Amino acid sequence: MLNAMMGAGMLAAPAKVFDLAGGWSFAVLAVSAVILLPLILCFADLGSRFTGTGGPYLYARAALPGWMAFSVGWLLWISQALSVATLANLLVSYLAGFVPSLGAGLPRAAVIVALGLGFTWIVLRGIRQSARASNVLIVLKVGFVLGFFAAGAAFVQPHRLAEPAPIPDAVTFVQAVLIYLFAYSGFERAAVVAGEAREPRRDVPASLLSSVALVTLAYAAVLLVCIGVLDNPASTDRPLAEVGRQLFGPVGQIAVSAGAIAVILGTILVITLSMPRMLLALAERGQLPEGLGRVHPLWRTPHLAIAVSSVLAFGSALMSDLLSSLTFATATRILGYVLCCVALWRFSRRTDAPPAQFNLPGRGPVALLTAALFLGVLAVGAAKELPALAAVLIVGLALLAFTSRRKAP
């Protein structure tokens, strides 16, 4: 569960959040963690009702009309692709610390294209995400955070943390919250196994709450060092590498950058492995063209779904910058979360709903209030993205209508 929630977004968050909220960055992190709690508990209730794979799309399919269930799968697939675009841009930023020319123009495009081709080839050939690989990745993430904090904590200057800062306006504050919500994304994958716990009513809330607490502490530790050491954390897209450079010179910069690049590459691999599964599920349910469900005769992987996912992900990376892709990825994911909250509310009103192993107290009102809360976050923090978000949803529903019409006798 910790591995699902602790992502490479923590590498970009300190700079981007400080740029928006300044000295209120810790408050942004705290608010992000607090508002996430009811959403996580809603997903724990949903996840404890099912034993099959599918996550949010599975929940929505069981509770909502077909077009709404499709919207959940479609939005989360788009969000995964844009998350890869965000991380690809972040990777380019860290590589540009070694070779500045890679940060723009044709060299930047060449890096992204090479990255896309490499990961597409790996996924096409059928590499599997094993428990061992997952364990290696979480050890890498935790080790990176602990090493960074241990090396930098002694150099934190308290006066930097206490510098007065104007309170950001509501829109700016919520935009900063969106950045940390991106960093927390992935918890829904952990909630899928809620029904497999030995004592769901006891273990699931404890596991979820402890994971949120630990991830928040990790993000706070990284933020503390960045703000406490750097004159202006917002001046660079790679604040952690800049901390390494200021404290330990080129060796520190190389060490931090190498660790960050490893974390980013591992996170991209995890997402690129899971992206095509959503398209495959939608195609198998007859909600997208059946060709997307075809399996390669040699590699036994859904090659068309993999190719389409990679083109969208790395093509988006070419056409966007880090912050724009991050914000849109978070907005699409949040709308999918809202629909899942609606699914939980529907379950609370049905007598034939799948039984929950973890019963969220007051699940109906909690689900509606949580949906309203995140709709508010979208309306305030991502107002500029709403037209594009609506367009993405319209395109998806048009594909659904086209596919349904072709399948009709």
Side-chain angles (χ1 to χ4, degrees):
M1 196 169 291
L2 188 64
N3 192 23
M5 294 179 63
M6 185 183 292
M10 65 179 172
L11 303 173
K16 299 303 180 183
V17 171
F18 190 86
D19 187 38
L20 292 169
W24 292 85
S25 297
F26 288 100
V28 170
L29 175 58
V31 168
S32 303
V34 169
I35 67 173
L36 197 65
L37 286 175
L39 182 63
I40 290 175
L41 292 175
C42 287
F43 269 82
D45 188 304
L46 285 167
S48 73
R49 298 169 183 268
F50 300 91
T51 57
T53 59
Y57 178 57
L58 178 65
Y59 315 152
R61 207 173 65 210
L64 301 174
W67 69 272
M68 291 182 71
F70 169 84
S71 298
V72 170
W74 176 256
L75 289 168
L76 293 182
W77 174 68
I78 295 289
S79 177
Q80 286 181 316
L82 292 173
S83 295
V84 170
T86 302
L87 296 174
N89 278 304
L90 183 59
L91 180 68
V92 168
S93 175
Y94 271 90
L95 291 175
F98 297 108
V99 184
S101 62
L102 296 179
L106 286 177
R108 171 184 175 272
V111 170
I112 293 174
V113 170
L115 192 67
L117 291 174
F119 276 106
T120 302
W121 176 250
I122 291 171
V123 178
L124 277 172
R125 291 300 299 266
I127 183 173
R128 299 186 184 276
Q129 183 184 353
S130 65
R132 179 176 297 179
S134 180
N135 291 336
V136 169
L137 186 55
I138 187 57
V139 168
L140 179 63
K141 292 176 184 177
V142 173
F144 178 82
V145 171
L146 290 177
F148 180 77
F149 181 72
F155 298 93
V156 169
Q157 301 180 41
H159 71 86
R160 295 188 188 278
L161 305 175
E163 289 179 359
I167 301 176
D169 60 74
V171 172
T172 303
F173 190 91
V174 176
Q175 287 173 341
V177 167
L178 285 173
I179 295 172
Y180 267 119
L181 290 179
F182 174 84
Y184 278 105
S185 64
F187 69 86
E188 71 278 3
R189 295 194 298 272
V192 171
V193 300
E196 299 176 10
R198 290 186 177 181
E199 294 289 342
R201 292 173 180 82
R202 180 195 66 196
D203 295 344
V204 170
S207 180
L208 286 167
L209 294 174
S210 61
S211 293
V212 172
L214 289 172
V215 171
T216 302
L217 284 175
Y219 291 169
V222 171
L223 186 61
L224 175 71
V225 174
C226 289
I227 294 178
V229 171
L230 299 178
D231 292 329
N232 180 17
S235 63
T236 174
D237 283 340
R238 45 186 186 277
L240 284 76
E242 182 61 20
V243 168
R245 187 193 68 79
Q246 286 196 20
L247 297 183
F248 305 106
V251 173
Q253 181 183 11
I254 291 171
V256 173
S257 296
I261 289 170
V263 170
I264 294 168
L265 289 173
T267 306
I268 291 176
L269 179 59
V270 169
I271 300 175
T272 52
L273 283 169
S274 63
M275 260 195 308
R277 296 177 186 173
M278 186 59 72
L279 280 189
L280 182 63
L282 292 170
E284 288 178 342
R285 297 292 298 181
Q287 294 186 312
L288 281 179
E290 62 181 12
L292 292 172
R294 290 177 186 164
V295 174
H296 193 277
L298 177 61
W299 297 326
R300 309 307 301 167
T301 53
H303 54 291
L304 291 179
I306 291 170
V308 170
S309 297
S310 292
V311 167
L312 176 63
F314 294 99
S316 297
L318 287 170
M319 297 183 292
S320 65
D321 59 23
L322 194 155
L323 187 58
S324 63
S325 57
L326 183 154
T327 304
F328 199 68
T330 309
T332 53
R333 187 176 293 269
I334 285 176
L335 187 53
Y337 291 163
V338 167
L339 291 174
C340 287
C341 289
V342 174
L344 181 58
W345 174 75
R346 288 284 296 270
F347 278 143
S348 72
R349 298 169 60 86
R350 282 172 43 181
T351 58
D352 63 339
Q357 297 301 311
F358 165 63
N359 289 291
L360 175 63
R363 61 167 62 94
V366 169
L368 285 182
L369 288 172
T370 303
L373 171 63
F374 279 90
L375 282 175
V377 169
L378 269 182
V380 175
K384 294 180 180 179
E385 284 74 23
L386 291 181
L389 185 57
V392 165
L393 195 53
I394 289 171
V395 169
L397 292 174
L399 280 173
L400 172 63
F402 172 77
T403 304
S404 300
R405 183 171 296 180
R406 290 193 63 182
K407 290 178 67 68

